[in-house]
Amino acid sequence: MSNKQKYDEIFIEVFEISSDQLNESLEYQSIEPWDSVGHMALMAALEDEFDIMLEMDDIIDFGTYLTGIETMKKYGVDM
Amino acid sequence: MFWCSRTPGIDHRTFIIDGDQSYSFNEIFKLSEEVVSDIPKRSVIVIESHRDLDTVCTYIGALRNGVVPLLVDANLKDEAVARIANSYQAEFVFGSGNRDLAGYESSGSARGKSVYSRNDKPGINVYEELCLLLPTSGSTGEAKCVRTSYDNLSQATQSIIRYLEMDESRVSISSLPLHYTYGLSVLNCALESRSRFVLSDKSWLEREFWSTVEKHAVTDLSGVPFMFQTLRRMRLSENILKNLKCVNQAGGRLEPVLTEYFVNYFLAQDISYFTMYGATEASPRISYVPYHNSKEKVGTVGIPIDIGRLSTDAADGVSEGELIYEGPNVCLGYGYNREDLTLGDENNQLLRTGDIGFIDEDGYATIVGRKKRFVKVFGNSVNLDTIESMVRPVAGNSVALGADDKVLVLITEGDTQQIKNIILENVTFPSRGLKVNKVSEIYMNASGKPDYPRMNAEFL
């Protein structure tokens, strides 16, 4: 599985959404499961999967599906 | 009573900071009285609670004018708000502008809130000492409320500010919802100690919250366990830490390893850190860990507040058993309907907490389990029986189990996603706290009731 696929899979698992609900316009609070509690669960899952430690600033700025991809790249995850 | 005026010299000081505006105690009292000026004394009003000036003024106005406020979660749907309002035949609902509430008509506005007036006035007088109504399980829209007296609220608030050593130099912030007993208590404490209260409707995950904390030199932070799990990852800036004096945690159990982390972290900055324990029924405080003992007593919920006593129902009063709290802050009782609001004190200062625990030789209590069918889900108190009553009409034989931050519904037939959606329609706690699983059998005990201990062990 590519890192991009793993990234998508984490969104699907953490938010318990179907793959057709996953799209590039997903953002914080755009779907019910992506609230503040869901956000921290997403961060924890990404950290585990890619073996990284996200800085709080990056966690706060991780506002959308797309900005998250940029964040992963910043931490050396090849997307 | 903290909601009454004091000498002009005190009350001309700043109380509420809302964005770029600040308001003195006198100004807030004046605004508050305007909001409720047309409401007859001893009416019951439902207030849709936001972390904003209008909610603060409506609440304080009600206390000052002998009106009984019932605070509800603003995220509740119209049907739930109407159900609660109708249960108590509340004379008025103060809410957002586009509510459609059965039995109520829009009758104008007061500050930012729309006022909905009840079509049939109840004509049942509420008990003279009744001060406040708060739902026991606010996130599920349940109508059952805790009846709090003026004396309950005043005594608890005074006791809290004594152990937090609050004075007029302190600055608190609305980090928690005001319909939530702990969040409301933060406001009450600011008012009792005549200190500042900053309004913010942002979460700890948002930069704006922390810029507000820094800008207004906030000294006191209050949070529930989930918020501290978030805070663990943050590096608070020097500009925030230099002003902080007191950080307190309540609303459920924080893992001892995290408590230990925060105790050490804040101690190193000369900031006092308090673990606290309470219940809406105790207006809301039962016990706290004094900050000078916070290191030694990690994992405990501390000693009783200075107006109460804590014991267990074991023979010696300290061995493992249900925690029993006694004090003048124990609520009058519960309410389900308007008639119940005529009742006086039914508890005689005695509260069976429903928590199982023990008390050590220094008087510190440790909680080990739960007796009642209530769990804390990300700071929200959730009644598992209420969840079951939502599910059973659709899914038939089913049960709701729970632990910290987790409600697990077991069904034997039907679609798990559909059942999950039905529940989420009716609750306001984070959806991450809810799982629905299909099982082949719901275990029953010998008396034909759900065997919760067995299912907890197997499925939770």
Side-chain angles (χ1 to χ4, degrees), chain A residues 13-16 28-29 32-33 35-41 43-44 47 54-57 59-61, chain B residues 203-207 210 226 229-230 233-235 378 417 420 424 427 429-435:
Chain A
E13 273 176 28
V14 168
F15 296 147
E16 297 180 1
Y28 181 57
Q29 290 179 339
E32 196 163 34
D35 53 17
S36 58
V37 171
H39 190 70
M40 295 312 288
M43 298 303 112
E47 288 183 339
L54 295 165
E55 294 285 330
M56 196 60 207
D57 278 350
I59 291 176
I60 288 179
D61 290 334
Chain B
S203 81
W204 286 20
L205 261 180
E206 290 166 272
R207 218 179 286 283
W210 297 106
F226 162 67
Q229 287 158 7
T230 306
R233 294 164 158 275
M234 295 187 190
R235 269 193 308 272
F378 302 113
Q417 190 57 47
K420 188 171 179 184
L424 289 178
V427 302
F429 62 77
S431 63
R432 195 168 175 76
L434 177 68
K435 295 271 180 294

Side-chain angles (χ1 to χ4, degrees), chain A residues 6-49:
Chain A
K6 287 179 185 166
Y7 181 80
D8 286 356
E9 202 53 39
I10 285 170
F11 273 76
I12 291 170
E13 273 176 28
V14 168
F15 296 147
E16 297 180 1
I17 54 176
S18 59
S19 49
D20 48 298
Q21 280 175 285
L22 184 74
N23 59 65
E24 295 194 337
S25 65
L26 273 190
E27 54 182 57
Y28 181 57
Q29 290 179 339
S30 70
I31 50 170
E32 196 163 34
W34 199 350
D35 53 17
S36 58
V37 171
H39 190 70
M40 295 312 288
L42 177 69
M43 298 303 112
L46 290 169
E47 288 183 339
D48 285 351
E49 178 66 46

